[in-house]
Amino acid sequence: MALTGLQIQKLLPATNCKECGCSTCMAFAMKLAGKKASLDECPYASEEAKQILGAASEPPVKGVKIGNKNISSLGEETVFYRHEKTFVNRTVIAININADNPDAFEIAKKIKEYKLERVGEILTVGAIAVTQKNSDNDIYSEIAKKIYEITELPLILRGSDEAVEAAAKAVAGSISIISGVTGENADKMREIARENRHILAVTADDIDGIREITAKLKKDGFNDLLIEFKTYSLAEAFQTNSIARKAALKNSEKSLGYATLKYIETGDETEDMVIATNEIIKYGGIIVLPVFDPAQLVTLMTLRQNIYTDPQKPIQVEPKLYAIGEPDRNSPIFVTTNFSLTYFLVSGEIENSGVNAWLIIPECEGMSVLTAWAAGKFSGAKIAAFIKEIGLANSVDTREIIIPGYVAQISGELEEELPGYKIIVGPGEAADIESFVKSVLLK
């Protein structure tokens, strides 16, 4: 539980030395309570204070990293709803491969090659679950090792204790996950994980059972953990994830303050998607999809990107003049805002139209066209000032500028601010740019 400023002040040296930049220790304590300062700024803090305040400042959901070469961070969450602050580490999307699948290595290669580019970000699969079916223990470990060598992604090992032990040793140092750890094998798996640098995912029939295992492992000095809830319906999964997050955040229940691992394997594609969606929006740490399906991945990765975007920091691109294709001094000029999604939609449609063009992106604080216009960030005066700032007249000979159709009302102001330029009102939707180019610019 977070400490108050008064509680923190009692742990400070009370010298009022001002070396931290604050006039008194109480003022510094208030900054610490508001997470606006670090205890490192106090040169006289005692070891006791560092220990107590360090523990108090730990995120309610413990952070853990999986992977050695392709690393994903989990946990470290501090809020129940993203609008309170932001969600920190995205749900990792993993794919299951059965060890006895004759196409296992080909699937692994496809996963390795899969990349989705959206609004300037490359999205990929974060882990691979290797499930033992009919393969014997040695073959399972060999297949797991080969899949790791192909993908260099952290593995989620699921099989018999003997198979998992062999595989954990085969991929030692990869910081993979040993799945399905129970009260019966927790001690054995703890030592295997510790010796080979892996993470443990613990499971039990109910929440209380999981709490017992995580508390025991933490007491034994092993705290790199995930939790696997056994849920059998969408409603149960929704409820269980919410209870665990609330217990960690509101009640400081450390035994439930871990990221989760969820296998999705209903056998129904639609139901799988619904469950995966629920995990992404309701605190899922890792979701394991049953098959490699690019169509599923596009949908889920797009959703995840939107959910895990900081609502207080819109995604935006650098304000400047962009070349789309290979424009020359006489190529047409478009203008839009620096909201990333707007930029990539508009630039993509210009490119698809087959025309080489210039795209002016002024500073709009990451807002969309109508939002920026309503906020006074995308006015004729603002755009004109930016155009003069970047020296557009020296870079191109074209004197026609195409503005978004939704802000046609700024055309007159923009022409007044830019004598000698003609302002053309373009389409309202990016999807109509191609037809606009063909019917207006190239007619």
Side-chain angles (χ1 to χ4, degrees):
M1 184 176 294
L3 299 178
T4 65
L6 186 59
Q7 290 171 321
I8 294 173
Q9 192 268 342
K10 293 178 180 178
L11 295 168
L12 297 178
T15 59
N16 295 329
C17 65
K18 301 182 177 59
E19 292 183 36
C20 62
C22 296
S23 57
T24 64
C25 287
M26 186 63 196
F28 181 60
M30 295 304 293
K31 289 184 69 175
L32 286 173
K35 300 188 184 300
K36 296 179 180 178
S38 169
L39 187 62
D40 295 337
E41 297 171 33
C42 175
Y44 306 113
S46 66
E47 289 303 317
E48 179 189 10
K50 292 178 181 178
Q51 184 176 356
I52 295 173
L53 294 177
S57 64
E58 288 180 355
V61 180
K62 185 183 182 302
V64 66
K65 296 182 185 296
I66 62 169
N68 185 9
K69 298 181 179 179
N70 294 284
I71 301 170
S72 294
S73 297
L74 299 162
E76 299 184 296
E77 304 299 341
T78 60
V79 295
F80 202 60
Y81 302 106
R82 70 187 288 267
H83 64 262
E84 294 177 285
K85 188 175 181 182
T86 185
F87 290 158
V88 179
N89 289 317
R90 299 178 181 184
T91 304
V92 172
I93 298 177
I95 306 295
N96 182 69
I97 299 178
N98 292 332
D100 61 351
N101 188 332
D103 298 322
F105 300 146
E106 291 302 315
I107 296 171
K109 290 176 184 177
K110 290 178 180 179
I111 293 171
K112 171 67 174 178
E113 294 166 359
Y114 179 83
K115 289 179 176 60
L116 171 65
E117 183 173 359
R118 186 173 185 272
V119 293
E121 185 178 7
I122 303 297
L123 306 175
T124 62
V125 173
I128 295 178
V130 184
T131 300
Q132 183 187 32
K133 289 292 186 178
N134 300 317
S135 55
D136 65 32
N137 299 335
D138 291 336
I139 292 177
Y140 173 80
S141 66
E142 291 173 6
I143 291 172
K145 182 180 180 181
K146 180 64 175 179
I147 289 174
Y148 177 72
E149 290 172 348
I150 292 171
T151 64
E152 297 184 330
L153 291 172
L155 304 182
I156 304 169
L157 304 174
R158 180 165 64 155
S160 67
D161 287 0
E162 293 75 17
V164 167
E165 180 177 7
K169 293 177 179 178
V171 295
S174 64
I175 314 181
S176 292
I177 299 165
I178 296 176
S179 173
V181 177
T182 65
E184 288 71 31
N185 66 358
D187 289 336
K188 177 181 179 180
M189 292 303 170
R190 180 193 66 225
E191 294 310 310
I192 294 171
R194 181 175 283 153
E195 291 171 6
N196 297 285
R197 293 182 62 206
H198 297 311
I199 311 297
L200 294 183
V202 305
T203 189
D205 291 332
D206 53 35
I207 290 180
D208 288 338
I210 286 177
R211 290 176 62 242
E212 290 178 10
I213 302 171
T214 58
K216 180 181 184 302
L217 287 169
K218 183 177 181 179
K219 184 179 179 181
D220 292 340
F222 192 93
N223 202 31
D224 290 333
L225 306 173
L226 302 173
I227 51 181
E228 283 182 65
F229 292 119
K230 289 184 178 180
T231 55
Y232 302 98
S233 69
L234 180 65
E236 187 182 3
F238 181 98
Q239 183 181 49
T240 302
N241 285 3
S242 299
I243 289 172
R245 176 61 65 92
K246 186 174 182 178
L249 267 60
K250 305 300 183 184
N251 302 327
S252 299
E253 180 56 69
K254 295 292 187 180
S255 60
L256 292 176
Y258 299 97
T260 63
L261 168 64
K262 175 71 173 179
Y263 291 95
I264 300 173
E265 44 195 359
T266 68
D268 181 274
E269 183 177 342
T270 301
E271 191 171 349
D272 285 348
M273 284 293 287
V274 172
I275 294 174
T277 298
N278 177 68
E279 289 293 315
I280 290 173
I281 64 176
K282 277 297 176 185
Y283 322 128
I286 303 175
I287 56 173
V288 181
L289 302 177
V291 295
F292 174 68
D293 183 346
Q296 276 189 335
L297 291 175
V298 169
T299 303
L300 295 173
M301 287 182 175
T302 299
L303 170 67
R304 181 186 64 176
Q305 187 182 45
N306 291 336
I307 293 294
Y308 281 84
T309 296
D310 187 341
Q312 300 177 24
K313 296 179 182 178
I315 303 175
Q316 51 190 293
V317 297
E318 179 186 357
K320 67 177 185 179
L321 178 66
Y322 288 84
I324 309 301
E326 298 179 352
D328 56 29
R329 295 185 66 87
N330 297 306
S331 297
I333 304 169
F334 291 79
V335 62
T336 193
T337 72
N338 70 329
F339 177 43
S340 284
L341 186 57
T342 299
Y343 166 77
F344 283 102
L345 285 173
V346 171
S347 62
E349 292 298 333
I350 293 173
E351 188 173 353
N352 291 339
S353 73
V355 68
N356 297 309
W358 300 100
L359 181 56
I360 298 172
I361 303 293
E363 173 60 72
C364 302
E365 298 182 9
M367 299 179 185
S368 62
V369 171
L370 283 175
T371 305
W373 170 76
K377 307 293 183 183
F378 197 61
S379 63
K382 293 275 189 180
I383 296 171
F386 183 76
I387 286 174
K388 293 173 184 177
E389 179 185 328
I390 63 175
L392 180 68
N394 300 323
S395 303
V396 300
D397 296 329
T398 309
R399 291 298 179 265
E400 293 182 345
I401 297 177
I402 303 157
I403 64 172
Y406 284 133
V407 289
Q409 57 268 50
I410 71 172
S411 59
E413 181 186 10
L414 191 53
E415 284 188 341
E416 289 180 7
E417 296 284 343
L418 295 173
Y421 281 85
K422 178 182 178 181
I423 307 304
I424 300 174
V425 177
E429 300 290 343
D432 297 325
I433 288 177
E434 185 173 355
S435 60
F436 170 82
V437 168
K438 292 177 180 178
S439 62
V440 177
L441 296 186
L442 300 180
K443 67 177 181 178

